[in-house]
Amino acid sequence: MDFGLRKRGWAVTAVILTAATLLADLPRPLPQMLAFLLLAVWPMAGWWRVVDGRLAERLVSAAALAMLVSSLVMLAAHYVPGSVSRPWLMVVFALAALLPQIKTKNEKRQLSRSQQVRGSGIGIPDTNTTSRLLRYCEKRNQALQSACSWPKFQRNWHWVFLILLALALRFTWLGYSEFQGDEGLIMSRAAAMLTGDDAEIFLHQKGPIEILLPMSLWGLAGEINEFWARIAFAWAGVWAVLAVAALTHHWFGTRAGWLAGVLFAMMGFSVAFGRIVQYQSLVMLWGTLAVWHAVSFRERGRRLDLGLTAVFLAGGLLAHYDAVLVVPAIAWAVWPQLRPFDWRAWLGATAVGVLVLALFYVPFVLDPNFSRTGQYLWQGRIGADADGRGLLSWSGTAVWQMVTFYNTLYYVVGLVVALLIGLMAKRRQQGTALLLFAAPFLFYLFIVADPRTHVYTFFPGAVILAAVGLDWLLTAGTGWRRLLLWGGTAVWLTVSLAYVWLMFVDHTPERQRTWAENRPRFYPVTWEKPPEFGLFGFPHQAGWRVASSLVGETDLPFASNEEQEVTAWYMAPAARTHCPNFETFLLAANAQDELPVPPGLLTDWLVQAEVQVNGRPSLWVYGRQPVAEPVILQASDYSRWLSPAQAAPMQTGGAVPLDVTLGDGQARLVGYDLDASQAVPGGQVVVTLYWVGLRPFDRNFQSFVHLFDGELRAQHDGAPDCAVMPTTRWEPGQLIADAHVVPIAPDVPAGEVAVLVGMYDLLTLERLAIPDRADQTIYLTSLPITDD
């Protein structure tokens, strides 16, 4: 096929200059800004001229395509063995940004025909000038005007207000919060992948997109912080608002479209997930666009729309399995187009969608961790057993609690009332909108035992139907009745918006972590306590950006009550332990998913430093050394930028390397550390083993350390890492630091002892087999027990 570049020299020049400038040594945040331009803005400027349709459809589709293509390019680049270099990434992403600038032979023919039409006096649309496009449409019949008319809402102030509202709720103080839970895990995985860990992407039990998007910007810019890691998701959140608004506008008119946009812009889940490194904004964006292009295919019969439906559905499934819930709405939308059946269109669209999915899911299915992911989804989330028992469940209470915590009760009740009114209004496309709402709503209400925040999936359809109801309601009355309806709606929206601002944007105070003390007044709830698990997107700082500067090499390993995913990012590469062998303890206030601190653990420890957030103590550093007065630091004075090498998890462990495989290729011991400084009668020996899981364990094995000289002189055994990482939690390829504090009894005689280690089944006590080891133990070294 004949290819060439479109005559858009400015676009090519912008891409090349951006990529070339990234090679220079620039101060922050210039590299991050240039990387964002190369990944999101310049590709969008190219794709919007390729996609057909109304301007709103083209802009939203182009922005979504730019993010999807960047993610796929990053995935393909990751498959190249070894670490990913910045110069190579710059070339690859520059070529990807130039991809929409390539024109095919068919496009050249269309351009030639268009020029002939222009010569005949009919004229063609010049999308560079609004007036020319409008003049063109005025010369055409009503059907053509419907297909290409410039959306009126693009020139109206209330749509500008909608965009500003979406931007304000997602970008204001976007970098305030520290990474929370899954965010830290995602960024640690991205760092590992950038530094050459080829297996890391298959350890994730979700789609890869939430890793690939920040990974792309990080790889180009070289360093990243919280704001720049989240910017792609905030960007997607804004476009998701516009997608819902424009789709509703297309279906039900301008006012309904604007109302749907406002309702979705201030919806708590939409705001929360637009402010964190997670997949939900992308599922809502790509899922909505998949439905939109399916509807466009039904209306116009264009193969391009069916292809884009497949691409965006595949992109959603690469973000998370939740995207499958838009399939009923898509099927309903395209059903009228099945007769006559355009097999070429369907074959081409299916091939493109399958190719996008296969880029990740084919190697994932072949990976040992795939079976664990299926088990997690089937048993852990849906709640069914291996035989399918327990498939149906009732999660109404959990759904209601989560929905009315992320949104005010006023918003939810008003939305339900408007939705019911919308269902009674007989409108075209109502069936597609109903399925967009009902399929995920029923799934998480009756199928999933533990829905948590996945209830976000039914809100795009819910706000569309509610907007239809509000649109009907606001035109139902006349005179003072209409004025009263408009005034009441404005008050309802304002009150609902205030709650979302207080909960997700304002952080003085952090209301979710201090709910009992600082819950928003005048907002009633129907439950006693907010949900305990699965909460994301609420603002929180504990002072972890400061903590890494307070812990030196002599203060390691450290322990904490904070979850591992958070400390793995902020304390990298410092060693953490969950055992009593710590030298420093970091105690965080209001930790979510907190690890319990045993009573009396810190009785003899002293506060070395205190970190304050918004003038309140939030993190304490405990050590053994006496200090005259603890150091008090303000978290707002610190930021933390990390390169992939600084944030990557350990790939090897231990001062002494080993390579011993246990069982039927289930685990490998790759090294160990030994602290024998207190190897005396009445003392202790600390042995830290470093394991790598090779295949998933179906039951728990205990690890043990024995001191042996013909008799067993001392021992310690238990679930790895002091029961925090049992073997059933091990992911293939994951490095596990397993510390054992081995107490030595006072009556143990002095002399040389061998250090032996291994694993055994907790239920049968049978040891995990070790090739060529009759006693199924691994000899590490000998050490002297002295009387000194």
Side-chain angles (χ1 to χ4, degrees), residues 477-642:
T478 58
W480 66 268
R481 291 186 179 87
R482 175 173 294 186
L483 183 63
L484 185 63
L485 288 171
W486 277 90
T489 301
V491 171
W492 171 62
L493 292 175
T494 302
V495 171
S496 301
L497 174 61
Y499 178 87
V500 171
W501 181 271
L502 291 173
M503 291 297 295
F504 298 105
V505 183
D506 181 49
H507 51 265
T508 52
E510 299 171 356
R511 292 173 176 83
Q512 181 258 324
R513 300 287 179 118
T514 59
W515 178 260
E517 178 184 356
N518 294 304
R519 57 171 288 185
R521 304 304 174 191
F522 311 111
Y523 290 96
V525 295
T526 59
W527 29 262
E528 295 182 4
K529 294 182 179 180
E532 295 183 14
F533 304 105
L535 300 178
F536 304 100
F538 297 93
H540 178 64
Q541 274 192 37
W544 287 108
R545 297 183 184 118
V546 188
S548 61
S549 64
L550 299 175
V551 179
E553 292 186 5
T554 59
D555 303 320
L556 298 176
F558 76 93
S560 178
N561 64 326
E562 184 61 87
E563 56 185 324
Q564 174 70 24
E565 292 82 356
V566 174
T567 61
W569 173 265
Y570 288 103
M571 299 302 295
R576 174 173 176 168
T577 182
H578 297 92
C579 301
N581 63 317
F582 59 88
E583 296 294 330
T584 304
F585 195 95
L586 303 174
L587 183 65
N590 299 318
Q592 189 164 292
D593 298 330
E594 181 178 13
L595 297 178
V597 179
L601 179 67
L602 301 176
T603 301
D604 299 327
W605 292 70
L606 303 172
V607 176
Q608 311 287 307
E610 176 183 290
V611 181
Q612 296 185 354
V613 176
N614 299 326
R616 300 179 59 174
S618 60
L619 184 72
W620 296 268
V621 180
Y622 284 84
R624 299 181 186 275
Q625 300 299 321
V627 293
E629 188 173 321
V631 177
I632 297 179
L633 301 171
Q634 299 299 321
S636 58
D637 297 335
Y638 290 79
S639 62
R640 186 162 173 80
W641 293 79
L642 291 179

Side-chain angles (χ1 to χ4, degrees), residues 39-326:
L39 292 168
V41 179
W42 300 145
M44 182 187 74
W47 286 113
W48 88 276
R49 295 175 180 273
V50 177
V51 179
D52 293 330
R54 294 179 174 86
L55 180 62
E57 181 179 1
R58 293 165 61 194
L59 282 175
V60 178
S61 297
L65 269 176
M67 286 184 283
L68 180 54
V69 170
S70 294
S71 300
L72 295 177
V73 169
M74 187 68 250
L75 179 60
H78 167 66
Y79 286 147
V80 177
S83 60
V84 184
S85 67
R86 284 186 69 197
W88 189 72
L89 272 184
M90 292 171 194
V91 172
V92 171
F93 280 115
L95 293 175
L98 292 173
L99 182 63
Q101 305 300 332
I102 299 174
K103 60 181 179 181
T104 65
K105 187 175 182 179
N106 290 336
E107 288 180 299
K108 290 181 179 181
R109 290 175 179 171
Q110 292 176 0
L111 178 61
S112 176
R113 290 196 206 101
S114 299
Q115 290 170 343
Q116 293 175 7
V117 173
R118 180 185 287 117
S120 68
I122 298 177
I124 66 166
D126 180 356
T127 54
N128 293 322
T129 307
T130 304
S131 59
R132 291 184 182 181
L133 179 61
L134 293 174
R135 286 199 300 272
Y136 165 73
C137 292
E138 290 171 358
K139 296 178 182 179
R140 310 297 300 193
N141 56 43
Q142 185 63 34
L144 185 57
Q145 285 191 19
S146 175
C148 70
S149 62
W150 186 283
K152 294 181 180 180
F153 65 74
Q154 297 290 340
R155 306 193 302 271
N156 292 342
W157 67 266
H158 49 281
W159 292 96
V160 175
F161 167 80
L162 175 61
I163 295 172
L164 293 177
L165 175 65
L167 288 169
L169 289 173
R170 285 151 188 82
F171 280 87
T172 304
W173 296 310
L174 181 61
Y176 166 82
S177 294
E178 296 163 347
F179 287 139
Q180 305 169 28
D182 286 359
E183 287 186 288
L185 177 63
I186 291 166
M187 296 307 297
S188 293
R189 292 200 192 283
M193 291 165 62
L194 285 170
T195 53
D197 186 345
D198 297 329
E200 191 74 26
I201 193 170
F202 301 122
L203 302 182
H204 210 51
Q205 292 182 327
K206 308 172 188 175
I209 294 292
E210 63 183 6
I211 302 176
L212 297 170
L213 272 178
M215 180 181 170
S216 304
L217 190 143
W218 199 0
L220 285 173
E223 291 183 311
I224 207 166
N225 66 358
E226 292 88 349
F227 176 87
W228 289 101
R230 293 170 179 145
I231 191 170
F233 302 91
W235 181 252
V238 172
W239 287 109
V241 170
L242 298 180
V244 170
L247 176 59
T248 312
H249 164 84
H250 175 72
W251 279 347
F252 304 116
T254 301
R255 181 168 48 239
W258 183 81
L259 287 169
V262 171
L263 289 172
F264 194 75
M266 67 171 61
M267 189 262 292
F269 295 108
S270 175
V271 175
F273 295 132
R275 300 179 64 86
I276 61 172
V277 182
Q278 277 202 345
Y279 59 85
Q280 290 89 345
S281 293
L282 297 159
V283 171
M284 290 186 282
L285 171 61
W286 290 335
T288 302
L289 285 175
V291 173
W292 190 351
H293 283 284
V295 172
S296 296
F297 175 67
R298 179 176 67 184
E299 294 174 347
R300 297 179 289 200
R302 296 184 314 174
R303 295 176 180 175
L304 177 62
D305 284 314
L306 189 60
L308 288 174
T309 299
V311 167
F312 287 129
L313 178 59
L317 290 171
L318 286 176
H320 196 273
Y321 320 110
D322 279 342
V324 75
L325 296 172
V326 303

